Amino acid sequence: MKISYLSTFYPYRGGIAQFNASLYNQLSVNNDVKAYTFTLQYPRLLFPGTTQMVQKGDNALVIDSERVLNTIQPLSYISAARKIKTDKPDILITKFWMPYFAPSLGYVTGKLKNRSRVISILDNVIPHELRYGDLSLIKYFLNRNDAFIVMSETVKRDLLKLKPDAKFVFHPHPLYEHFGDKIQKPEARSRLGLPQDKKIILCYGFIRDYKGIDLAISAVSRLGDDYHLVIAGEVYGSFDKYQSQIDELNTGSKISLFTRYISDDETPLFFSAADACLLPYKSATQSGIVAIAYHFDLPVIATNVGGLSEMIEPYGAGIMIDKPEPSAIAESIKKFFELNIDEFIANIQSYKLKATWKSLADTIINLAGDIKK
């Protein structure tokens, strides 16, 4: 089939670009796929990180994409839609994760909907931090698509809440494959300057309020000195409040901070050094961090919010925390180390056989076949 794929691609960096590149490569095995991306994704004022672009050390999957869409320039919406129309694609794929993209992506999908099968992969429907006007923007986008891929029950519920007649298919988040091999734990810990004799818990990824880093810091203050927390990721906003919390709780010796963007080249070190990946989220849909952890056979300890349990419990790949509270997180961490960690790892290896990019690509092609034009 002829497929146009409009979303975040190289030279942009981050988990969404990685997802899109992996799916693009799989779709390209049996289809004619053209990638389109942004001339401007976020204006600098709205982007809290250091840069949106691939940097040295990022093991980015380079996709030959054409940059056509400026999210704050409506004239580019028109030109992007016209450009993609000239391809006469059988399928147009987009990826949606926040209301900010609804006007630009929604305009393009709406213009293609009458001649192509328009499918959006939904990371989120209702955002973690809902603002005035968001629901109207989301509904606008949803109504300009033919069908959807959802990767968690939470996203499914949110989709049907706003669009009860939505056509969709559920598929688990595939596992990333571009990070390379696992490193021996002693070597990984040595290279990161981490203690060799501690139970190491990893909090990885962009540091945002809803991800519960404050809860993790409070939890580790309740654990013995044989536990060690690693916080690794770029801060969205300021880390000052977390640093003040660390100082007040006197937990500095039990926490290692890597509060910067972690390149793809470095990522294997963190997941190889840890005994478990901790997601102390206050809210969530699904998480790409889980997919990275599974790639490195690392079990996950996560709060039972949003769709996180769907990615963990059915596969026996970790344990769930009843509530996003420090005491519950601390007790779950202790419980984890009392269990058979090798069994978690074996279960993750079985899961890997199911959550593949080929399976997702086949699901999209089959879904497109069910859309009548």
mmCIF file with all atom_site columns, all heavy atoms in Angstrom, residues 223-243:
data_model
loop_
_atom_site.group_PDB
_atom_site.id
_atom_site.type_symbol
_atom_site.label_atom_id
_atom_site.label_alt_id
_atom_site.label_comp_id
_atom_site.label_asym_id
_atom_site.label_entity_id
_atom_site.label_seq_id
_atom_site.pdbx_PDB_ins_code
_atom_site.Cartn_x
_atom_site.Cartn_y
_atom_site.Cartn_z
_atom_site.occupancy
_atom_site.B_iso_or_equiv
_atom_site.pdbx_formal_charge
_atom_site.auth_seq_id
_atom_site.auth_comp_id
_atom_site.auth_asym_id
_atom_site.auth_atom_id
_atom_site.pdbx_PDB_model_num
ATOM 1   N N   . LEU A 1 223 ? 13.389 3.867  53.281 1.00 0.00 ? 223 LEU A N   1
ATOM 2   C CA  . LEU A 1 223 ? 14.079 2.596  53.066 1.00 0.00 ? 223 LEU A CA  1
ATOM 3   C C   . LEU A 1 223 ? 15.457 2.609  53.707 1.00 0.00 ? 223 LEU A C   1
ATOM 4   O O   . LEU A 1 223 ? 16.019 3.675  53.996 1.00 0.00 ? 223 LEU A O   1
ATOM 5   C CB  . LEU A 1 223 ? 14.208 2.325  51.558 1.00 0.00 ? 223 LEU A CB  1
ATOM 6   C CG  . LEU A 1 223 ? 12.893 2.166  50.788 1.00 0.00 ? 223 LEU A CG  1
ATOM 7   C CD1 . LEU A 1 223 ? 13.161 2.120  49.295 1.00 0.00 ? 223 LEU A CD1 1
ATOM 8   C CD2 . LEU A 1 223 ? 12.153 0.914  51.242 1.00 0.00 ? 223 LEU A CD2 1
ATOM 9   N N   . GLY A 1 224 ? 15.996 1.422  53.908 1.00 0.00 ? 224 GLY A N   1
ATOM 10  C CA  . GLY A 1 224 ? 17.312 1.303  54.528 1.00 0.00 ? 224 GLY A CA  1
ATOM 11  C C   . GLY A 1 224 ? 18.433 1.768  53.607 1.00 0.00 ? 224 GLY A C   1
ATOM 12  O O   . GLY A 1 224 ? 18.229 2.059  52.423 1.00 0.00 ? 224 GLY A O   1
ATOM 13  N N   . ASP A 1 225 ? 19.647 1.795  54.157 1.00 0.00 ? 225 ASP A N   1
ATOM 14  C CA  . ASP A 1 225 ? 20.805 2.269  53.397 1.00 0.00 ? 225 ASP A CA  1
ATOM 15  C C   . ASP A 1 225 ? 21.242 1.301  52.309 1.00 0.00 ? 225 ASP A C   1
ATOM 16  O O   . ASP A 1 225 ? 22.135 1.622  51.520 1.00 0.00 ? 225 ASP A O   1
ATOM 17  C CB  . ASP A 1 225 ? 21.983 2.524  54.348 1.00 0.00 ? 225 ASP A CB  1
ATOM 18  C CG  . ASP A 1 225 ? 21.732 3.726  55.248 1.00 0.00 ? 225 ASP A CG  1
ATOM 19  O OD1 . ASP A 1 225 ? 20.915 4.588  54.859 1.00 0.00 ? 225 ASP A OD1 1
ATOM 20  O OD2 . ASP A 1 225 ? 22.348 3.790  56.334 1.00 0.00 ? 225 ASP A OD2 1
ATOM 21  N N   . ASP A 1 226 ? 20.627 0.118  52.245 1.00 0.00 ? 226 ASP A N   1
ATOM 22  C CA  . ASP A 1 226 ? 20.978 -0.831 51.192 1.00 0.00 ? 226 ASP A CA  1
ATOM 23  C C   . ASP A 1 226 ? 20.195 -0.568 49.896 1.00 0.00 ? 226 ASP A C   1
ATOM 24  O O   . ASP A 1 226 ? 20.359 -1.283 48.909 1.00 0.00 ? 226 ASP A O   1
ATOM 25  C CB  . ASP A 1 226 ? 20.747 -2.271 51.651 1.00 0.00 ? 226 ASP A CB  1
ATOM 26  C CG  . ASP A 1 226 ? 19.357 -2.503 52.209 1.00 0.00 ? 226 ASP A CG  1
ATOM 27  O OD1 . ASP A 1 226 ? 18.733 -1.532 52.685 1.00 0.00 ? 226 ASP A OD1 1
ATOM 28  O OD2 . ASP A 1 226 ? 18.901 -3.663 52.177 1.00 0.00 ? 226 ASP A OD2 1
ATOM 29  N N   . TYR A 1 227 ? 19.366 0.476  49.907 1.00 0.00 ? 227 TYR A N   1
ATOM 30  C CA  . TYR A 1 227 ? 18.623 0.872  48.700 1.00 0.00 ? 227 TYR A CA  1
ATOM 31  C C   . TYR A 1 227 ? 19.220 2.154  48.137 1.00 0.00 ? 227 TYR A C   1
ATOM 32  O O   . TYR A 1 227 ? 19.670 3.036  48.888 1.00 0.00 ? 227 TYR A O   1
ATOM 33  C CB  . TYR A 1 227 ? 17.145 1.102  49.029 1.00 0.00 ? 227 TYR A CB  1
ATOM 34  C CG  . TYR A 1 227 ? 16.401 -0.144 49.413 1.00 0.00 ? 227 TYR A CG  1
ATOM 35  C CD1 . TYR A 1 227 ? 16.361 -0.562 50.744 1.00 0.00 ? 227 TYR A CD1 1
ATOM 36  C CD2 . TYR A 1 227 ? 15.735 -0.907 48.465 1.00 0.00 ? 227 TYR A CD2 1
ATOM 37  C CE1 . TYR A 1 227 ? 15.674 -1.716 51.117 1.00 0.00 ? 227 TYR A CE1 1
ATOM 38  C CE2 . TYR A 1 227 ? 15.048 -2.062 48.828 1.00 0.00 ? 227 TYR A CE2 1
ATOM 39  C CZ  . TYR A 1 227 ? 15.022 -2.456 50.147 1.00 0.00 ? 227 TYR A CZ  1
ATOM 40  O OH  . TYR A 1 227 ? 14.352 -3.592 50.513 1.00 0.00 ? 227 TYR A OH  1
ATOM 41  N N   . HIS A 1 228 ? 19.185 2.270  46.818 1.00 0.00 ? 228 HIS A N   1
ATOM 42  C CA  . HIS A 1 228 ? 19.758 3.455  46.168 1.00 0.00 ? 228 HIS A CA  1
ATOM 43  C C   . HIS A 1 228 ? 18.875 3.838  44.976 1.00 0.00 ? 228 HIS A C   1
ATOM 44  O O   . HIS A 1 228 ? 18.533 2.989  44.146 1.00 0.00 ? 228 HIS A O   1
ATOM 45  C CB  . HIS A 1 228 ? 21.188 3.176  45.697 1.00 0.00 ? 228 HIS A CB  1
ATOM 46  C CG  . HIS A 1 228 ? 21.958 4.426  45.359 1.00 0.00 ? 228 HIS A CG  1
ATOM 47  N ND1 . HIS A 1 228 ? 22.593 5.179  46.327 1.00 0.00 ? 228 HIS A ND1 1
ATOM 48  C CD2 . HIS A 1 228 ? 22.181 5.055  44.172 1.00 0.00 ? 228 HIS A CD2 1
ATOM 49  C CE1 . HIS A 1 228 ? 23.188 6.213  45.745 1.00 0.00 ? 228 HIS A CE1 1
ATOM 50  N NE2 . HIS A 1 228 ? 22.944 6.165  44.434 1.00 0.00 ? 228 HIS A NE2 1
ATOM 51  N N   . LEU A 1 229 ? 18.502 5.109  44.902 1.00 0.00 ? 229 LEU A N   1
ATOM 52  C CA  . LEU A 1 229 ? 17.643 5.619  43.836 1.00 0.00 ? 229 LEU A CA  1
ATOM 53  C C   . LEU A 1 229 ? 18.462 6.393  42.818 1.00 0.00 ? 229 LEU A C   1
ATOM 54  O O   . LEU A 1 229 ? 19.267 7.261  43.179 1.00 0.00 ? 229 LEU A O   1
ATOM 55  C CB  . LEU A 1 229 ? 16.567 6.542  44.435 1.00 0.00 ? 229 LEU A CB  1
ATOM 56  C CG  . LEU A 1 229 ? 15.623 7.246  43.454 1.00 0.00 ? 229 LEU A CG  1
ATOM 57  C CD1 . LEU A 1 229 ? 14.748 6.235  42.718 1.00 0.00 ? 229 LEU A CD1 1
ATOM 58  C CD2 . LEU A 1 229 ? 14.762 8.275  44.183 1.00 0.00 ? 229 LEU A CD2 1
ATOM 59  N N   . VAL A 1 230 ? 18.255 6.085  41.538 1.00 0.00 ? 230 VAL A N   1
ATOM 60  C CA  . VAL A 1 230 ? 18.879 6.826  40.445 1.00 0.00 ? 230 VAL A CA  1
ATOM 61  C C   . VAL A 1 230 ? 17.780 7.602  39.715 1.00 0.00 ? 230 VAL A C   1
ATOM 62  O O   . VAL A 1 230 ? 16.797 7.011  39.260 1.00 0.00 ? 230 VAL A O   1
ATOM 63  C CB  . VAL A 1 230 ? 19.603 5.894  39.464 1.00 0.00 ? 230 VAL A CB  1
ATOM 64  C CG1 . VAL A 1 230 ? 20.125 6.671  38.255 1.00 0.00 ? 230 VAL A CG1 1
ATOM 65  C CG2 . VAL A 1 230 ? 20.750 5.172  40.164 1.00 0.00 ? 230 VAL A CG2 1
ATOM 66  N N   . ILE A 1 231 ? 17.942 8.912  39.626 1.00 0.00 ? 231 ILE A N   1
ATOM 67  C CA  . ILE A 1 231 ? 17.024 9.767  38.875 1.00 0.00 ? 231 ILE A CA  1
ATOM 68  C C   . ILE A 1 231 ? 17.762 10.264 37.650 1.00 0.00 ? 231 ILE A C   1
ATOM 69  O O   . ILE A 1 231 ? 18.757 10.992 37.767 1.00 0.00 ? 231 ILE A O   1
ATOM 70  C CB  . ILE A 1 231 ? 16.529 10.946 39.737 1.00 0.00 ? 231 ILE A CB  1
ATOM 71  C CG1 . ILE A 1 231 ? 15.805 10.431 40.981 1.00 0.00 ? 231 ILE A CG1 1
ATOM 72  C CG2 . ILE A 1 231 ? 15.635 11.868 38.927 1.00 0.00 ? 231 ILE A CG2 1
ATOM 73  C CD1 . ILE A 1 231 ? 15.440 11.521 41.985 1.00 0.00 ? 231 ILE A CD1 1
ATOM 74  N N   . ALA A 1 232 ? 17.294 9.861  36.475 1.00 0.00 ? 232 ALA A N   1
ATOM 75  C CA  . ALA A 1 232 ? 18.007 10.172 35.241 1.00 0.00 ? 232 ALA A CA  1
ATOM 76  C C   . ALA A 1 232 ? 17.040 10.728 34.204 1.00 0.00 ? 232 ALA A C   1
ATOM 77  O O   . ALA A 1 232 ? 16.107 10.037 33.786 1.00 0.00 ? 232 ALA A O   1
ATOM 78  C CB  . ALA A 1 232 ? 18.696 8.921  34.695 1.00 0.00 ? 232 ALA A CB  1
ATOM 79  N N   . GLY A 1 233 ? 17.238 11.973 33.809 1.00 0.00 ? 233 GLY A N   1
ATOM 80  C CA  . GLY A 1 233 ? 16.390 12.551 32.780 1.00 0.00 ? 233 GLY A CA  1
ATOM 81  C C   . GLY A 1 233 ? 16.425 14.066 32.804 1.00 0.00 ? 233 GLY A C   1
ATOM 82  O O   . GLY A 1 233 ? 16.802 14.691 33.802 1.00 0.00 ? 233 GLY A O   1
ATOM 83  N N   . GLU A 1 234 ? 16.036 14.647 31.686 1.00 0.00 ? 234 GLU A N   1
ATOM 84  C CA  . GLU A 1 234 ? 16.013 16.098 31.568 1.00 0.00 ? 234 GLU A CA  1
ATOM 85  C C   . GLU A 1 234 ? 14.829 16.672 32.342 1.00 0.00 ? 234 GLU A C   1
ATOM 86  O O   . GLU A 1 234 ? 13.727 16.108 32.321 1.00 0.00 ? 234 GLU A O   1
ATOM 87  C CB  . GLU A 1 234 ? 15.909 16.480 30.094 1.00 0.00 ? 234 GLU A CB  1
ATOM 88  C CG  . GLU A 1 234 ? 16.010 17.974 29.839 1.00 0.00 ? 234 GLU A CG  1
ATOM 89  C CD  . GLU A 1 234 ? 16.054 18.320 28.365 1.00 0.00 ? 234 GLU A CD  1
ATOM 90  O OE1 . GLU A 1 234 ? 15.910 17.402 27.524 1.00 0.00 ? 234 GLU A OE1 1
ATOM 91  O OE2 . GLU A 1 234 ? 16.214 19.506 28.052 1.00 0.00 ? 234 GLU A OE2 1
ATOM 92  N N   . VAL A 1 235 ? 15.070 17.778 33.032 1.00 0.00 ? 235 VAL A N   1
ATOM 93  C CA  . VAL A 1 235 ? 14.042 18.406 33.857 1.00 0.00 ? 235 VAL A CA  1
ATOM 94  C C   . VAL A 1 235 ? 13.191 19.341 33.002 1.00 0.00 ? 235 VAL A C   1
ATOM 95  O O   . VAL A 1 235 ? 13.713 20.214 32.319 1.00 0.00 ? 235 VAL A O   1
ATOM 96  C CB  . VAL A 1 235 ? 14.672 19.197 35.018 1.00 0.00 ? 235 VAL A CB  1
ATOM 97  C CG1 . VAL A 1 235 ? 13.575 19.779 35.912 1.00 0.00 ? 235 VAL A CG1 1
ATOM 98  C CG2 . VAL A 1 235 ? 15.614 18.312 35.819 1.00 0.00 ? 235 VAL A CG2 1
ATOM 99  N N   . TYR A 1 236 ? 11.882 19.146 33.059 1.00 0.00 ? 236 TYR A N   1
ATOM 100 C CA  . TYR A 1 236 ? 10.946 20.082 32.436 1.00 0.00 ? 236 TYR A CA  1
ATOM 101 C C   . TYR A 1 236 ? 10.515 21.059 33.518 1.00 0.00 ? 236 TYR A C   1
ATOM 102 O O   . TYR A 1 236 ? 9.645  20.764 34.327 1.00 0.00 ? 236 TYR A O   1
ATOM 103 C CB  . TYR A 1 236 ? 9.745  19.339 31.855 1.00 0.00 ? 236 TYR A CB  1
ATOM 104 C CG  . TYR A 1 236 ? 9.960  18.819 30.450 1.00 0.00 ? 236 TYR A CG  1
ATOM 105 C CD1 . TYR A 1 236 ? 11.232 18.515 29.975 1.00 0.00 ? 236 TYR A CD1 1
ATOM 106 C CD2 . TYR A 1 236 ? 8.882  18.647 29.576 1.00 0.00 ? 236 TYR A CD2 1
ATOM 107 C CE1 . TYR A 1 236 ? 11.429 18.043 28.679 1.00 0.00 ? 236 TYR A CE1 1
ATOM 108 C CE2 . TYR A 1 236 ? 9.066  18.176 28.278 1.00 0.00 ? 236 TYR A CE2 1
ATOM 109 C CZ  . TYR A 1 236 ? 10.342 17.874 27.843 1.00 0.00 ? 236 TYR A CZ  1
ATOM 110 O OH  . TYR A 1 236 ? 10.526 17.415 26.560 1.00 0.00 ? 236 TYR A OH  1
ATOM 111 N N   . GLY A 1 237 ? 11.134 22.228 33.532 1.00 0.00 ? 237 GLY A N   1
ATOM 112 C CA  . GLY A 1 237 ? 10.898 23.193 34.588 1.00 0.00 ? 237 GLY A CA  1
ATOM 113 C C   . GLY A 1 237 ? 12.152 23.348 35.429 1.00 0.00 ? 237 GLY A C   1
ATOM 114 O O   . GLY A 1 237 ? 13.251 23.486 34.905 1.00 0.00 ? 237 GLY A O   1
ATOM 115 N N   . SER A 1 238 ? 11.979 23.306 36.737 1.00 0.00 ? 238 SER A N   1
ATOM 116 C CA  . SER A 1 238 ? 13.100 23.467 37.659 1.00 0.00 ? 238 SER A CA  1
ATOM 117 C C   . SER A 1 238 ? 13.210 22.252 38.578 1.00 0.00 ? 238 SER A C   1
ATOM 118 O O   . SER A 1 238 ? 12.192 21.684 38.990 1.00 0.00 ? 238 SER A O   1
ATOM 119 C CB  . SER A 1 238 ? 12.916 24.723 38.509 1.00 0.00 ? 238 SER A CB  1
ATOM 120 O OG  . SER A 1 238 ? 13.886 24.784 39.545 1.00 0.00 ? 238 SER A OG  1
ATOM 121 N N   . PHE A 1 239 ? 14.438 21.870 38.917 1.00 0.00 ? 239 PHE A N   1
ATOM 122 C CA  . PHE A 1 239 ? 14.661 20.763 39.844 1.00 0.00 ? 239 PHE A CA  1
ATOM 123 C C   . PHE A 1 239 ? 14.775 21.263 41.288 1.00 0.00 ? 239 PHE A C   1
ATOM 124 O O   . PHE A 1 239 ? 14.924 20.462 42.208 1.00 0.00 ? 239 PHE A O   1
ATOM 125 C CB  . PHE A 1 239 ? 15.929 19.996 39.452 1.00 0.00 ? 239 PHE A CB  1
ATOM 126 C CG  . PHE A 1 239 ? 16.060 18.649 40.106 1.00 0.00 ? 239 PHE A CG  1
ATOM 127 C CD1 . PHE A 1 239 ? 15.321 17.561 39.662 1.00 0.00 ? 239 PHE A CD1 1
ATOM 128 C CD2 . PHE A 1 239 ? 16.906 18.464 41.197 1.00 0.00 ? 239 PHE A CD2 1
ATOM 129 C CE1 . PHE A 1 239 ? 15.421 16.320 40.266 1.00 0.00 ? 239 PHE A CE1 1
ATOM 130 C CE2 . PHE A 1 239 ? 17.027 17.215 41.810 1.00 0.00 ? 239 PHE A CE2 1
ATOM 131 C CZ  . PHE A 1 239 ? 16.273 16.152 41.338 1.00 0.00 ? 239 PHE A CZ  1
ATOM 132 N N   . ASP A 1 240 ? 14.679 22.561 41.492 1.00 0.00 ? 240 ASP A N   1
ATOM 133 C CA  . ASP A 1 240 ? 14.945 23.143 42.815 1.00 0.00 ? 240 ASP A CA  1
ATOM 134 C C   . ASP A 1 240 ? 14.081 22.531 43.915 1.00 0.00 ? 240 ASP A C   1
ATOM 135 O O   . ASP A 1 240 ? 14.563 22.242 45.021 1.00 0.00 ? 240 ASP A O   1
ATOM 136 C CB  . ASP A 1 240 ? 14.723 24.656 42.784 1.00 0.00 ? 240 ASP A CB  1
ATOM 137 C CG  . ASP A 1 240 ? 15.791 25.379 41.972 1.00 0.00 ? 240 ASP A CG  1
ATOM 138 O OD1 . ASP A 1 240 ? 16.798 24.733 41.630 1.00 0.00 ? 240 ASP A OD1 1
ATOM 139 O OD2 . ASP A 1 240 ? 15.594 26.578 41.677 1.00 0.00 ? 240 ASP A OD2 1
ATOM 140 N N   . LYS A 1 241 ? 12.787 22.331 43.628 1.00 0.00 ? 241 LYS A N   1
ATOM 141 C CA  . LYS A 1 241 ? 11.903 21.816 44.682 1.00 0.00 ? 241 LYS A CA  1
ATOM 142 C C   . LYS A 1 241 ? 12.282 20.390 45.059 1.00 0.00 ? 241 LYS A C   1
ATOM 143 O O   . LYS A 1 241 ? 12.157 19.990 46.220 1.00 0.00 ? 241 LYS A O   1
ATOM 144 C CB  . LYS A 1 241 ? 10.443 21.878 44.250 1.00 0.00 ? 241 LYS A CB  1
ATOM 145 C CG  . LYS A 1 241 ? 10.102 21.060 43.015 1.00 0.00 ? 241 LYS A CG  1
ATOM 146 C CD  . LYS A 1 241 ? 8.642  21.242 42.623 1.00 0.00 ? 241 LYS A CD  1
ATOM 147 C CE  . LYS A 1 241 ? 8.292  20.476 41.370 1.00 0.00 ? 241 LYS A CE  1
ATOM 148 N NZ  . LYS A 1 241 ? 6.874  20.682 40.971 1.00 0.00 ? 241 LYS A NZ  1
ATOM 149 N N   . TYR A 1 242 ? 12.766 19.616 44.086 1.00 0.00 ? 242 TYR A N   1
ATOM 150 C CA  . TYR A 1 242 ? 13.193 18.243 44.372 1.00 0.00 ? 242 TYR A CA  1
ATOM 151 C C   . TYR A 1 242 ? 14.501 18.250 45.168 1.00 0.00 ? 242 TYR A C   1
ATOM 152 O O   . TYR A 1 242 ? 14.668 17.449 46.094 1.00 0.00 ? 242 TYR A O   1
ATOM 153 C CB  . TYR A 1 242 ? 13.365 17.456 43.081 1.00 0.00 ? 242 TYR A CB  1
ATOM 154 C CG  . TYR A 1 242 ? 12.114 17.370 42.241 1.00 0.00 ? 242 TYR A CG  1
ATOM 155 C CD1 . TYR A 1 242 ? 12.054 17.966 40.982 1.00 0.00 ? 242 TYR A CD1 1
ATOM 156 C CD2 . TYR A 1 242 ? 10.986 16.697 42.694 1.00 0.00 ? 242 TYR A CD2 1
ATOM 157 C CE1 . TYR A 1 242 ? 10.909 17.896 40.204 1.00 0.00 ? 242 TYR A CE1 1
ATOM 158 C CE2 . TYR A 1 242 ? 9.828  16.626 41.926 1.00 0.00 ? 242 TYR A CE2 1
ATOM 159 C CZ  . TYR A 1 242 ? 9.802  17.234 40.684 1.00 0.00 ? 242 TYR A CZ  1
ATOM 160 O OH  . TYR A 1 242 ? 8.660  17.165 39.909 1.00 0.00 ? 242 TYR A OH  1
ATOM 161 N N   . GLN A 1 243 ? 15.388 19.161 44.806 1.00 0.00 ? 243 GLN A N   1
ATOM 162 C CA  . GLN A 1 243 ? 16.653 19.247 45.537 1.00 0.00 ? 243 GLN A CA  1
ATOM 163 C C   . GLN A 1 243 ? 16.403 19.674 46.979 1.00 0.00 ? 243 GLN A C   1
ATOM 164 O O   . GLN A 1 243 ? 17.031 19.146 47.913 1.00 0.00 ? 243 GLN A O   1
ATOM 165 C CB  . GLN A 1 243 ? 17.595 20.233 44.846 1.00 0.00 ? 243 GLN A CB  1
ATOM 166 C CG  . GLN A 1 243 ? 18.996 20.257 45.445 1.00 0.00 ? 243 GLN A CG  1
ATOM 167 C CD  . GLN A 1 243 ? 19.687 18.903 45.384 1.00 0.00 ? 243 GLN A CD  1
ATOM 168 O OE1 . GLN A 1 243 ? 19.876 18.360 44.305 1.00 0.00 ? 243 GLN A OE1 1
ATOM 169 N NE2 . GLN A 1 243 ? 20.054 18.363 46.543 1.00 0.00 ? 243 GLN A NE2 1
#
